[in-house]
């Protein structure tokens, strides 16, 4: 415990260095803006910020992206509550009670509840993240290649099983990602795989190109095809935030606790990020809350539950990233990318070799939440003003940032062609309702999965049963398989029930 | 029995992926390498993935075309919960009708491809300014003064940030267009 606190103190000392703190404030502001603007998603925002970190050292780079990630889960609440316009799917449950509250003339109270919920959920998750990460990393240090392969398989299985709108579509997306990751010259044999004689493909396809293209450019193409039709905003008078009293907050203590716990748990599961946490927490409150019958009529519980969970999911998602190198969400996948760009592979070893970087990241979560809430309290009105910017202008710059990001990664113009191709693929995936996240995680985790699988096969004489006979990997493999099968069982039970 | 159009449309994306996967399996089967005794070759992993992809797509095509029930496809567990919550509160959510403009999309993609093709010849500033202006026009923005300012100043700003602050070596272009980039670099103190 003392070591953890000492490391955290070092982390805070890094965050409070003037340059790093300035970067953190910029990250928070950018995250808030991204969350406010419809058409710009949290993941897309973090992707677009990535090229600006190429020449930064690792700590400010991670601080910038982490700060954006945290604040990106919060500011969309403003537009949901005030204008009935959710900045992105995370914020949809917030409008179910937030907007009716605003219609009743309680917009200031609704904004106050959002702020407190984001603060509470974020802080509880941050504390959990700090307390659990090092012990989990210690356990992970005992893992060998079969366990690592099983962990990755479990991660990929849960991405497919939990988050996708269709299991088959998520599987196709994941397999596509794993195949993209296998393009290039094989490390062991020097064999060309799927290069088709194209020189640029011999170096493989950089996952950054895939992420920037699919998440960034693909989304812009989608919005362009829809004609950049943003909903009309209703006029709102004075925008201010009124914080709830301590007594009011204590009355909702169970809602705060449930929301935070849901967010942390969902955050740790690969594939289920802030959006799922927000919806699920709202659903749980609707099932078990004291005033469940009033949900949807404009009560604070309907705001606290999803907002707590959305912000808490950030801390939860960081745990598997730093302890095992497995990103739990699109945003953490990009933060993983930033780590790798700076030559650092997150995982249990990183707590021994570069703990100051990990703890600087942890500290930036705490400070980021405080800065985010301060800006949320004092500057909601100017931040919301960005909605006056035409979406087409923002999108034009998003495309430019994507192109520059793809080019700057390797200073190679050919990467631009690949990025545009992945932009078109990203558009097609979204158009035909194939989720993008499994593909991106497949591209990132594919090489790790293959390396651990092949090493295990070499070490254990091609005996694949080793994955099931070692206790930890065995349990994880079974859990991974059950994770994949469970949606099928659930579906057939639903089908029987509806037939009956 | 005539196959309904909706079934065919549902099966189509998977059928396309199935064909691509079959081609990739053939390619993976022809990867050249020196086999070492007792070890799996570099073709094992991609072939295994493509095989799984083939099975998934074949199953989905079959299900879409021939399955008796149409209760719906198997979705992610949490996704179902999300959708159920969303349906319950659909009345409160903003109703925005989704329009489709395939011509705009085609123009946008063409403009982006043209940008990538021309950036080495025209240089970063000229190609970016032209692209931004073109994109805004394609996107339906018609305030020409704002378009000129946003594209010209925006290209300059991006050039300054990436060349002067982030130190990315952006394309200068070929003569005579390179003269414009070099002049701007000189004015901004970029070496």
């Amino acid at each position: 415990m003392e070591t953890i606190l000492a490391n955290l103190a070092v982390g805070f000392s890094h965050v409070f260095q003037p340059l790093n703190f300035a970067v953190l404030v910029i990250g928070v502001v950018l995250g808030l803006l991204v969350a406010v603007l419809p058409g710009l998603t949290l993941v897309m925002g973090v992707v677009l910020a990535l090229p600006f970190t190429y020449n930064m050292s690792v700590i400010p780079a991670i601080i910038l992206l982490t700060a954006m990630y945290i604040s990106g889960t919060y500011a969309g609440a403003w537009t949901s509550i005030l204008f009935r316009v959710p900045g992105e799917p995370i914020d949809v449950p917030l409008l179910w009670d937030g907007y009716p509250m605003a219609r009743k003339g309680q917009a200031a109270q609704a904004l106050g509840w959002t702020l407190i919920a984001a603060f509470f959920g974020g802080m509880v998750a941050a504390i959990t993240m700090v307390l659990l990460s090092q012990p989990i990393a210690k356990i992970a240090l005992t893992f060998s290649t079969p366990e690592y392969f099983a962990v990755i398989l479990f991660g990929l299985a849960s991405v497919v099983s939990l988050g996708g709108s269709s299991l088959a579509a998520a599987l196709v997306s994941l397999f596509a990602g794993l195949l993209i990751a296998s393009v290039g010259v094989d490390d062991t044999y020097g064999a060309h795989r799927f290069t088709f004689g194209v020189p640029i493909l011999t170096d493989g396809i950089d996952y950054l190109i895939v992420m920037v293209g699919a998440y960034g450019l693909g989304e812009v193409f989608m919005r362009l095809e829809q004609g950049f039709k943003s909903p009309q905003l209703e006029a709102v008078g004075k925008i201010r935030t009124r914080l709830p009293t301590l007594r009011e907050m204590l009355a909702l203590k169970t809602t705060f606790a449930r929301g935070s716990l849901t967010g942390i748990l969902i955050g740790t599961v690969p594939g289920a990020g802030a959006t799922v946490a927000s919806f699920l927490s709202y659903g749980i409150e609707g099932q078990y809350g004291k005033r469940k019958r009033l949900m949807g009529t404009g009560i604070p519980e309907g705001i606290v539950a999803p907002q707590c969970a959305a912000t808490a999911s950030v801390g939860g998602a960081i745990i598997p990233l730093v302890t095992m190198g497995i990103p739990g969400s699109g945003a953490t996948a990009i933060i993983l990318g930033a780590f790798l760009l700076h030559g650092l592979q997150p995982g249990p070893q990183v707590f021994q070799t570069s703990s100051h970087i990990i703890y600087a990241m942890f500290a930036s979560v705490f400070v980021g939440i405080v800065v985010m809430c301060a800006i949320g309290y004092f500057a909601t009105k100017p931040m919301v003003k960005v909605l006056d910017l035409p979406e087409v202008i923002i999108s034009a710059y998003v495309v430019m940032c994507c192109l520059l990001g793809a080019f700057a990664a390797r200073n190679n113009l050919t990467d631009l062609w690949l990025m545009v191709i992945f932009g078109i693929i990203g558009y097609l995936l979204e158009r035909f309702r194939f989720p993008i996240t499994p593909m991106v995680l497949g591209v990132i985790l594919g090489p790790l999965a293959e390396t651990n699988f092949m090493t295990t096969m070499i070490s254990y004489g091609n005996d694949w049963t080793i994955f099931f006979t070692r206790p930890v990997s065995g349990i994880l493999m079974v859990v991974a398989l059950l994770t994949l099968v469970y949606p099928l069982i659930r579906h057939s039970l639903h089908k029987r029930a509806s037939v009956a | 029995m005539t196959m309904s159009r909706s079934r065919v449309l549902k099966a189509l994306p998977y059928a396309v992926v199935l064909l691509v996967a079959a081609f990739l399996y053939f390619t993976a089967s022809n990867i050249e390498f020196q086999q070492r005794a007792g070890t799996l070759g570099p073709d094992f992993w991609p072939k295994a993935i493509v095989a799984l992809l083939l099975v998934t797509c074949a199953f989905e095509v079959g299900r879409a075309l021939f399955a008796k029930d149409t209760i719906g496809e198997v979705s992610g567990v949490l996704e179902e919960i999300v959708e159920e919550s969303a349906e319950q509160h659909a009345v409160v959510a903003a109703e925005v009708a989704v329009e489709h403009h395939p011509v705009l999309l085609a123009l946008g993609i063409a403009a982006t491809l043209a940008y990538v093709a021309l950036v080495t010849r025209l240089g970063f500033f000229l190609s970016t300014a032209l692209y931004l202006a073109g994109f805004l026009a394609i996107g339906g923005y018609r305030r020409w003064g704002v378009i000129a300012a946003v594209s010209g100043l925006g290209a300059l700003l991006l050039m300054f940030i990436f060349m002067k602050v982030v130190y990315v070596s952006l394309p200068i272009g070929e003569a005579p267009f390179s003269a414009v980039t070099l002049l701007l670099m000189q004015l901004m103190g970029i070496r």
Side-chain angles (χ1 to χ4, degrees), chain A residues 55 163-164 167 193 225 397 413, chain B residues 42 74 76 79-80 101 120 150 166:
Chain A
N55 275 1
L167 193 65
R193 302 195 300 193
E225 199 241 10
Y397 281 99
L413 275 167
Chain B
V74 185
E79 188 75 19
E80 275 184 14
H101 302 272
T120 38
V150 163
V166 191

Side-chain angles (χ1 to χ4, degrees), chain A residues 60-77:
Chain A
I62 298 302
I63 287 176
L64 178 80
L65 301 179
T66 309
M68 283 189 76
Y69 184 19
I70 300 160
S71 55
T73 62
Y74 164 55

Side-chain angles (χ1 to χ4, degrees), chain A residues 55 84 96 161-169 189 193 224-226 397 399-400 413 427 453 462 490-491 495, chain B residues 38-40 42 71-80 89 92 94 99-101 105 115 120 131 150 154 166-167:
Chain A
N55 275 1
R84 204 172 60 158
W96 294 335
S161 166
L162 297 178
S165 57
S166 147
L167 193 65
Y189 289 82
R193 302 195 300 193
L224 177 64
E225 199 241 10
Q226 291 169 358
Y397 281 99
V399 178
M400 280 320 303
L413 275 167
Y427 161 78
F453 177 81
N462 292 342
R490 192 181 144 92
H491 179 73
K495 212 161 72 173
Chain B
T39 56
L40 299 172
I71 286 179
E73 53 196 335
V74 185
S75 61
V77 177
L78 295 177
E79 188 75 19
E80 275 184 14
H89 298 88
V92 190
E99 295 176 15
H100 292 288
H101 302 272
L105 175 70
Y115 175 82
T120 38
Y131 176 75
V150 163
V166 191
Y167 299 114

